[in-house]
């Protein structure tokens, strides 16, 4: 069994408050959940900054290849949103043999 984790560091566009930030971030998270019902996704960082956010995504799969493919698809889905700029994306793969 493999667990894949993806962390996305995102710069938001024309956002001037935390309320506006939520109105941009929540639909992105909801879209990932709709398109990929087997993944866990949440805002995980930069919670007090209104122009930055970090989104974390996790998936569990029987194969490393499937984990990577799902995380790549999630990253592409988020990166194509015109109202954001993807600053960095970090993937990590864990297997059940690791301590």
């Amino acid at each position: 069994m493999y667990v894949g984790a993806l962390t996305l560091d995102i710069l938001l566009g024309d956002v001037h408050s935390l309320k506006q930030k939520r109105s941009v971030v929540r639909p992105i998270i909801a879209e990932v959940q709709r398109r990929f019902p087997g993944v866990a996704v949440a805002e995980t960082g930069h919670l007090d900054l209104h122009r930055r956010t970090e989104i974390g995504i996790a998936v569990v799969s029987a194969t490393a290849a499937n984990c990577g493919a799902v995380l790549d698809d999630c990253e592409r889905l988020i990166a194509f949103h015109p109202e954001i700029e993807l600053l960095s994306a970090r993937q990590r793969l864990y297997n059940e043999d690791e301590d």
Side-chain angles (χ1 to χ4, degrees):
M1 180 160 320
Y2 292 88
V3 176
L6 173 65
T7 304
L8 303 169
D9 189 12
I10 297 171
L11 178 66
L12 303 173
D14 190 29
V15 173
H16 303 287
S17 70
L18 292 175
K19 185 175 181 179
Q20 285 180 324
K21 175 185 178 176
R22 282 193 306 275
S23 72
V24 173
V25 174
R26 281 186 180 168
I28 292 172
I29 289 173
E31 182 179 5
V32 172
Q33 289 172 329
R34 249 190 333 274
R35 295 274 308 272
F36 303 97
V39 305
V41 59
E43 185 177 8
T44 56
H46 306 302
L47 300 176
D48 56 343
L49 301 175
H50 66 272
R51 291 213 52 226
R52 292 277 298 274
T53 191
E54 179 183 88
I55 294 178
I57 299 172
V59 63
V60 177
S61 178
T63 67
N66 187 55
C67 274
V70 170
L71 293 177
D72 288 342
D73 290 345
C74 290
E75 180 181 340
R76 271 193 295 280
L77 176 67
I78 292 173
F80 285 127
H81 280 262
E83 69 274 17
I84 64 126
E85 179 182 344
L86 184 58
L87 299 176
S88 71
R90 296 178 306 277
Q91 275 193 36
R92 177 78 197 257
L93 187 63
Y94 305 90
N95 67 37
E96 63 185 355
D97 297 331
E98 289 182 3
D99 290 329

